[in-house]
Structure formats: C-alpha cells, structure tokens
Amino acid sequence: MGKIDKSWTLFLDRDGVVNVRLVDDYVKNINEFEFLPGVLEAFKIFAETFGKIIIVTNQQGVGKGLMTLDDVETVHGFMMQAIESQKGRVDAIYVCPQLKSDPDNFRKPSPKMAFMAQHDFPEIDFDKSVMVGDSNSDIEFGRNAGMYTILIGDEAVKCRPDRRFESLLKFAKILK
C-alpha cells in the first residue's frame, strides 16, 4: 500500500467495524445501533484522507423478513447523521439484502458491490482502494476486487489480510 491520498477509496463493512455486531441477530432499528469506540473520530480522519468512502454491507435479515430495506435505510440515515456531525463522511452505502442461498446474489465475498460503486464513481481504482472488515467474507471481497485488505479485531479468518488492527481508530491513526 502506497501513500494514501484523495485518489484512494476506502471500503468498509458495517457490522463489527462501524457498529457493534449483534450475535446471531441483525441491527433492525436505531435503538439497536451502537457505534464501536473511536469510530466517529476515525471517520473524521478518513474524510480528510480518502477521496471516496463507501460502506458495503450484507443485510440478510431483509431477505429473512426480519426487517425491511426501509428499516436499513433508517439505520443508515441515523449513522450518517452522527458521522457527519463529527466532520466525517460516507459517500455511498451499498446493501445486499439477499439470502446466501439466493442464486446470483451479490453478497460479499462477491465483488459485485465494489463494481456497483465503481460504476457510480468511475474514478474508483481498486489498486488504490482499501477494504476494511471484520470477517473472512470482507477480506475475500477486498481480495476479489484487487484491494488492499485490513482486518479489524481478532476474528480468525481463513485468508490473510494485508494488515490487522485492533480497531478502526487504530487504523485511522496510522494515516495521520
């Protein structure tokens, strides 16, 4: 990974990276959404560093009928308002509501959400992109699109990320 500047794009997973992951459940409303420590500060640093900031999130709870896409959008509106109030930024959010079992789904680790983002923002260059996630599917997603990969937390993953950090804030601080 070279020197990161405004020509770079940051891709982020949501649950377990931006907010607390609910064990065996889904964040279905804003009352269940809780930022992980230091995340808002990290987004301020990211906004100063990266040209584009994209969230890519699998939300299988929609496909299971546990919540609607409107519920997910309400949570994302709440999240973005908090991030922007702390001088952070998210340029776009891509959601895959499909079940793992759906044929031709675009869930991570498929790179289809990365290609959607590149279609919407043609300046995105995957050689100058970083994918930050907390799971094997996140790291595989980044690899499948040719990105530099960062694992947050201590989750055991099959494929090796390029780097590992304890938290999103620890990653952000090395960019300063």
Side-chain angles (χ1 to χ4, degrees):
M1 182 168 72
K3 171 85 171 106
I4 293 177
D5 58 28
K6 291 287 189 177
S7 68
W8 282 70
T9 299
L10 177 64
F11 285 85
L12 297 152
D13 175 46
R14 194 192 82 184
D15 299 324
V17 175
V18 174
N19 60 282
V20 174
R21 175 186 298 282
L22 300 181
V23 180
D24 296 325
D25 201 2
Y26 303 92
V27 174
K28 299 177 288 299
N29 58 61
I30 61 173
N31 296 325
E32 297 175 343
F33 184 92
E34 178 187 349
F35 282 101
L36 286 163
V39 163
L40 294 174
E41 184 181 344
F43 268 94
K44 182 178 187 297
I45 296 167
F46 296 150
E48 295 164 355
T49 308
F50 289 92
K52 291 283 177 249
I53 301 170
I54 311 287
I55 292 178
V56 286
T57 180
N58 292 342
Q59 293 296 322
Q60 187 172 235
V62 175
K64 290 181 175 180
L66 302 173
M67 59 194 179
T68 66
L69 271 176
D70 284 345
D71 295 332
V72 174
E73 288 177 15
T74 298
V75 168
H76 287 163
F78 171 81
M79 175 187 73
M80 288 180 66
Q81 186 176 33
I83 290 169
E84 290 167 4
S85 76
Q86 300 299 308
K87 298 188 172 38
R89 180 182 90 246
V90 174
D91 295 294
I93 302 174
Y94 295 86
V95 176
C96 180
Q98 298 164 305
L99 297 171
K100 286 180 192 172
S101 59
D102 287 351
D104 297 325
N105 73 65
F106 55 93
R107 292 173 53 81
K108 294 176 287 176
S110 165
K112 289 179 183 174
M113 286 191 279
F115 299 140
M116 291 174 189
Q118 191 178 51
H119 177 268
D120 293 343
F121 303 99
E123 65 273 23
I124 290 176
D125 175 354
F126 296 134
D127 289 333
K128 288 182 160 189
S129 294
V130 178
M131 173 60 195
V132 180
D134 71 326
S135 71
N136 203 56
S137 66
D138 297 326
I139 302 308
E140 287 180 14
F141 166 86
R143 289 228 187 278
N144 290 339
M147 299 179 202
Y148 190 85
T149 58
I150 293 178
L151 182 71
I152 297 297
D154 56 7
E155 179 96 9
V157 292
K158 292 178 196 136
C159 62
R160 292 180 53 160
D162 293 303
R163 294 281 305 267
R164 182 185 293 256
F165 290 91
E166 183 180 308
S167 70
L168 200 58
L169 184 57
K170 292 224 184 215
F171 165 55
K173 285 185 172 180
I174 69 148
L175 300 171
K176 284 181 120 178

